Amino acid sequence: MKNKSLWSSFQGCVIAVMPLVVSTLVSIAAYKFFQRQTFPPFVVMATAVVVWMLVFVITYSIKQNLGEQDHERE
Amino acid sequence: MNENKNPFDILVRFVQWTMDILARAVVAFLDGMNDAVEHSSSPLFGVVATFLPFALPIPVAFMTATSAERFFAWDAWQAVTLGIGLEGLGLLVWVWLVESLISDDPQLRGASTFLASIATAYEITLIVLNVVLALNDGAGIVFGLGLFLICLLPAMSAAMYGFQRRQTRLNIAAKEAERKAETERLRQEKRQDRKEAQELKLKYASDTKAEAIKTIKPFRK
């Protein structure tokens, strides 16, 4: 019971932080890519911020939709 | 019963107790983190989704300004004005184009060709100003491709914003209709209550009168 609870807590935590983590990683990758392509610094920074926002919105929406589908199935 | 006690039992119990506390601490930490992230993510999503359509054109606007400064030798203020103006136009035209394509209004639907041509002109200007001029200047193909993809982002974002705007307006209209229906229902109920109360009053008044007539004795014989 304790193990299950630990596992479900871990799963819940990973799923909750997933949009933040994925968007941050993709944003860092975009930042590095545009920096290497010698884009102007402000454009690199703005693109990284915008990519973070975009990926966060997409992953969070997917997570919410999957959660709703699971809820309906139950 | 065989009471064969192991001398290490106490050690085993201590390890069990320690692991139990450790597991509970980890569970409490993970649950707390889960709650904190879940509670903060929803408002964060709202804020990000609201600002995203206006934030997406910013990198393109500044890239356009940089290109204008570099290839046309414009002053910084002129280049920034061009970048911001062009992106403002792009946001407006894409939102209206989506609106005209999904609208039921025939007048707005008629304007979709005109809006589509402005949107195409905007995209061509953006791509020529940024991608074609950079490639002509000797930029790499990966640079050009990256820039091309960035140039498409504001259009996609504005299109999504157009859909979202329409959906929000429909939701507000549905809520307004629901509120009006509720007000009307309450008004009808109140009217019915008033009518019933009046009927009761009349009935009570007539009963009292009849009773009064029946009970009063004539004073003349």
Side-chain angles (χ1 to χ4, degrees), chain B residues 18 65 78 99 128 137 141 159 174 185 192 194 202-203:
Chain B
T18 314
Q78 292 169 326
E99 191 85 19
V128 168
D137 199 44
I141 194 80
R185 194 183 61 80
Q192 188 66 27
R194 268 205 310 274
L202 279 172
K203 191 168 177 277

Side-chain angles (χ1 to χ4, degrees), chain B residues 159-179:
Chain B
M160 285 313 296
Y161 178 67
F163 274 110
Q164 191 63 32
R165 193 161 160 257
R166 183 182 153 83
Q167 197 57 43
T168 310
R169 218 168 40 223
L170 287 176
N171 286 348
I172 290 172
K175 273 186 188 161
E176 183 66 21
E178 208 174 290
R179 195 187 59 78

Side-chain angles (χ1 to χ4, degrees), chain B residues 8-215:
Chain B
F8 290 108
D9 268 2
I10 190 150
L11 188 66
V12 171
R13 269 206 297 276
F14 176 74
V15 170
Q16 270 179 345
W17 179 77
T18 314
M19 291 310 288
D20 184 42
I21 285 188
L22 217 69
R24 281 206 307 227
V26 173
V27 167
F29 171 74
L30 290 174
D31 281 349
M33 206 166 151
N34 186 2
D35 285 348
V37 174
E38 280 290 345
H39 276 92
S40 61
S41 284
S42 189
L44 181 68
F45 173 78
V47 171
V48 170
T50 308
F51 285 110
L52 191 60
F54 306 102
L56 266 176
I58 291 172
V60 189
F62 280 91
M63 195 65 221
T64 310
T66 310
S67 298
E69 227 177 318
R70 191 170 154 198
F71 301 120
F72 303 151
W74 283 13
D75 288 342
W77 70 270
Q78 292 169 326
V80 170
T81 310
L82 172 75
I84 293 172
L86 197 63
E87 286 315 310
L89 168 79
L91 182 70
L92 267 180
V93 79
W94 275 102
V95 169
W96 275 108
L97 179 62
V98 170
E99 191 85 19
S100 71
L101 289 174
I102 57 181
S103 171
D104 301 325
D105 183 7
Q107 211 170 2
L108 198 57
R109 282 186 82 86
S112 60
T113 318
F114 172 67
L115 289 166
S117 32
I118 297 178
T120 314
Y122 153 77
E123 284 300 330
I124 291 171
T125 311
L126 203 62
I127 290 164
V128 168
L129 259 177
N130 289 306
V131 186
V132 178
L133 287 179
L135 287 174
N136 195 41
D137 199 44
I141 194 80
V142 183
F143 183 93
L145 185 68
L147 202 50
F148 176 72
L149 290 176
I150 296 183
C151 287
L152 294 183
L153 279 178
M156 289 192 277
S157 158
M160 285 313 296
Y161 178 67
F163 274 110
Q164 191 63 32
R165 193 161 160 257
R166 183 182 153 83
Q167 197 57 43
T168 310
R169 218 168 40 223
L170 287 176
N171 286 348
I172 290 172
K175 273 186 188 161
E176 183 66 21
E178 208 174 290
R179 195 187 59 78
K180 272 187 185 164
E182 180 67 19
T183 313
E184 180 60 26
R185 194 183 61 80
L186 283 173
R187 200 180 68 82
Q188 291 289 351
E189 268 181 20
K190 270 185 191 166
R191 192 164 163 260
Q192 188 66 27
D193 284 353
R194 268 205 310 274
K195 217 171 158 184
E196 278 171 13
Q198 206 166 9
E199 272 172 15
L200 265 174
K201 207 170 158 187
L202 279 172
K203 191 168 177 277
Y204 179 73
S206 65
D207 284 356
T208 322
K209 213 172 171 183
E211 190 66 26
I213 290 164
K214 208 163 67 180
T215 50

Side-chain angles (χ1 to χ4, degrees), chain A residues 14-30:
Chain A
V14 167
I15 290 167
V17 298
M18 193 61 85
L20 289 169
V21 174
V22 170
S23 52
T24 307
L25 288 176
V26 175
S27 167
I28 291 169

Side-chain angles (χ1 to χ4, degrees), chain A residues 29-55:
Chain A
Y31 181 86
K32 293 275 174 199
F33 173 76
F34 285 107
Q35 202 179 31
R36 214 172 47 213
Q37 296 299 320
T38 63
F39 277 88
F42 185 80
V43 175
V44 175
M45 188 48 88
T47 308
V49 172
V50 156
V51 166
W52 185 89
M53 290 167 90
L54 191 65
V55 176

